[in-house]
């Protein structure tokens, strides 16, 4: 599996759009839900995707809620997860180059589909720079 994806109801439509983008890139995707615009609780989906990434089921995940805030907060409670809430090309690139983010979080009520496309493409195409950043990323897991 290449990407594990999840959203709450506010991110459902954007999640379906992102799944199309990923399919066009030939990536395999597992969808952890939700599966409609019926109101649900974002921590369920944030943690489901985060636990799957932490377990090694895929190298990277994508999460979407209304703001991206709640679902990223929930994901970041899982050890080993670095969920980055990205708003634009700059934060998408930096989250990979500097933070080695293994989950991209976005807000469907904040971003247009065009902005989401740009963020997803940059995030997928950008590698971690390592070096001094690797030491800092390692420190995130320290008590
Ligand atoms: C749902 O109404 C909304 O609270 C949720 O999608 C998210 O924005 C929470 O952080």
């Amino acid at each position: 599996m290449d990407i594990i994806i999840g959203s709450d109801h506010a991110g459902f439509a954007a999640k379906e759009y992102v799944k199309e983008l990923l399919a066009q890139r030939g990536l395999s995707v597992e969808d952890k839900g939700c599966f409609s615009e019926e109101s649900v609780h974002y921590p369920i989906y944030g943690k489901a995707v985060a636990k799957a990434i932490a377990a090694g089921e895929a190298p990277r995940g994508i999460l979407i809620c209304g703001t991206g805030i709640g679902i990223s907060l929930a994901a970041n409670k899982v050890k080993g997860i670095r969920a980055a809430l990205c708003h634009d090309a700059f934060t998408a690139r930096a989250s990979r180059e500097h933070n080695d983010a293994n989950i991209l979080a976005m807000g469907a009520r904040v971003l247009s589909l065009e902005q989401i496309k740009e963020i997803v493409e940059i995030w997928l195409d950008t590698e971690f720079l390592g070096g001094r950043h690797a030491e800092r990323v390692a420190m995130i897991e320290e008590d």
Side-chain angles (χ1 to χ4, degrees):
M1 195 58 56
D2 297 311
I3 302 280
I4 300 179
I5 196 166
S7 76
D8 72 353
H9 55 286
F12 172 74
K15 172 167 67 66
E16 297 307 298
Y17 172 73
V18 170
K19 279 163 60 181
E20 282 176 29
L21 292 179
L22 298 174
Q24 283 167 16
R25 292 175 67 113
L27 295 171
S28 59
V29 180
E30 182 182 347
D31 187 350
K32 294 281 191 188
C34 69
F35 298 107
S36 77
E37 292 185 331
E38 189 180 329
S39 184
V40 292
H41 302 309
Y42 58 80
I44 294 171
Y45 305 94
K47 288 187 183 180
V49 169
K51 285 178 182 174
I53 298 300
E57 293 174 28
R60 296 209 220 166
I62 297 178
L63 288 169
I64 310 172
C65 69
T67 58
I69 296 171
I71 209 158
S72 58
L73 291 174
N76 277 317
K77 301 301 281 188
V78 177
K79 193 167 174 55
I81 291 304
R82 295 177 301 281
L85 175 53
C86 297
H87 297 297
D88 50 28
F90 180 81
T91 49
R93 186 172 290 110
S95 79
R96 289 289 311 132
E97 288 185 342
H98 290 209
N99 312 115
D100 196 18
N102 50 13
I103 292 184
L104 166 64
M106 294 176 290
R109 292 174 177 164
V110 181
L111 302 166
S112 66
L113 292 181
E114 202 172 321
Q115 289 172 309
I116 286 175
K117 180 174 191 283
E118 182 183 32
I119 290 168
V120 167
E121 287 178 345
I122 288 171
W123 193 77
L124 291 174
D125 290 339
T126 305
E127 294 302 321
F128 180 45
L129 290 178
R132 68 184 189 279
H133 303 294
E135 185 181 359
R136 295 164 185 167
V137 167
M139 289 171 72
I140 294 172
E141 292 296 332
E142 291 174 5
D143 290 326

